[in-house]
Amino acid sequence: MSMKPLEFDRRYGELDQVISAYTGMPADDEPDEPSEALRAYLRHTWHTRPWALATAERQIREYARNPPGRLRLSLGEFYPVPDVGLPQSAIQDWLFVIADHLKRSIEEGDVPPPAAPGTHWEWHARFPELGQFLGGWFSQDMPDEFPDHDAAVHDYTTTTHPQLLARLTGELHELLALALEEPEYALAVAELGMEVDPPQPYSPSGWLAHLADTLGGFKADYGPGPAAAD
């Protein structure tokens, strides 16, 4: 039988976060040089959940020291490391290299400076609600579902909880604060799931700024109203 979710998280939850950061990226960590995937995980986690780094280091090292044997394999009570492009015989050593990099980063307080996301995983980890919005409402099927971009935005705002609207607005402002070049904003919205062009006459960054202003107008629709006069 497979492992229950609570037990899985206790043993492998943060290990899974680290391995997920390698999706579509090479597992080319060296003892003296972390991979781009691991740098992305470190950058995002240091600035959002720094306490999780020690958990990741412990879970990865314990897994590498005690890989699942035949009994655990037959019971399904183990973490199946996804294909990261390495032969099975190299996985254990690779995990130890990752654990060593995590340990070194923690012990030396090596906090990566804030920067734009560098991988597909990091874009979605940093801007989860924006990824939901762009991937869910502006996929390649959007022209078949809505007459225009404004209609798609209206559908999102009328079907989404106000707290998520506020979260999306904050993520839009955070993305705009990165002050990227226009091609980089085009890459950002593509990484986050947008498969159609912004509406005319907007550039990608111009449309994001327009969205931030539009969604900011919904603040008056929730929260406590003005205090009653005495």
Side-chain angles (χ1 to χ4, degrees):
M1 59 185 297
S2 60
M3 189 176 299
K4 293 182 178 179
L6 181 59
E7 184 63 22
F8 179 90
D9 284 346
R10 284 173 173 168
R11 291 189 187 183
Y12 311 123
E14 200 59 31
L15 161 63
D16 184 52
Q17 288 292 312
V18 176
I19 301 302
S20 295
Y22 285 83
T23 302
M25 300 292 294
D28 54 358
D29 302 88
E30 298 292 342
D32 58 347
E33 185 68 27
S35 65
E36 179 60 29
L38 186 57
R39 285 197 294 269
Y41 171 82
L42 284 166
R43 180 167 51 239
H44 179 70
T45 308
W46 263 115
H47 290 284
T48 58
R49 302 180 302 121
W51 58 85
L53 293 165
T55 301
E57 189 270 342
R58 174 181 56 79
Q59 290 183 354
I60 292 171
R61 199 174 297 281
E62 287 181 357
Y63 187 94
R65 287 171 176 163
N66 302 287
R70 284 180 294 179
L71 176 60
R72 288 167 66 195
L73 288 171
S74 65
L75 294 174
E77 294 186 352
F78 72 103
Y79 176 78
V81 176
D83 183 6
V84 292
L86 296 176
Q88 192 64 34
S89 58
I91 294 293
Q92 187 176 33
D93 288 341
W94 171 65
L95 291 173
F96 277 125
V97 169
I98 293 176
D100 288 343
H101 279 303
L102 291 169
K103 181 181 179 182
R104 187 178 305 115
S105 180
I106 297 167
E107 291 182 341
E108 297 178 3
D110 186 12
V111 182
T119 68
H120 180 77
W121 174 87
E122 191 178 6
W123 278 110
H124 283 266
R126 185 165 176 181
F127 300 103
E129 190 58 31
L130 185 54
Q132 282 285 104
F133 172 66
L134 294 178
W137 276 263
F138 293 95
S139 69
Q140 62 184 352
D141 297 326
M142 174 254 171
D144 298 326
E145 298 176 357
F146 304 104
D148 55 29
H149 292 66
D150 287 344
V153 174
H154 179 74
D155 183 75
Y156 171 84
T157 58
T158 55
T159 59
T160 302
H161 193 281
Q163 290 186 19
L164 295 180
L165 289 176
R167 184 175 301 166
L168 174 61
T169 304
E171 290 182 11
L172 285 166
H173 284 292
E174 182 179 350
L175 178 53
L176 291 166
L178 294 177
L180 305 176
E181 298 293 332
E182 201 58 51
E184 294 174 303
Y185 276 113
L187 173 64
V189 296
E191 288 281 8
L192 290 166
M194 188 171 183
E195 298 176 334
V196 295
D197 292 331
Q200 293 295 329
Y202 293 107
S203 64
S205 67
W207 186 62
L208 292 172
H210 171 70
L211 280 173
D213 290 341
T214 300
L215 294 174
F218 287 90
K219 292 180 180 179
D221 295 337
Y222 60 91
D230 293 334

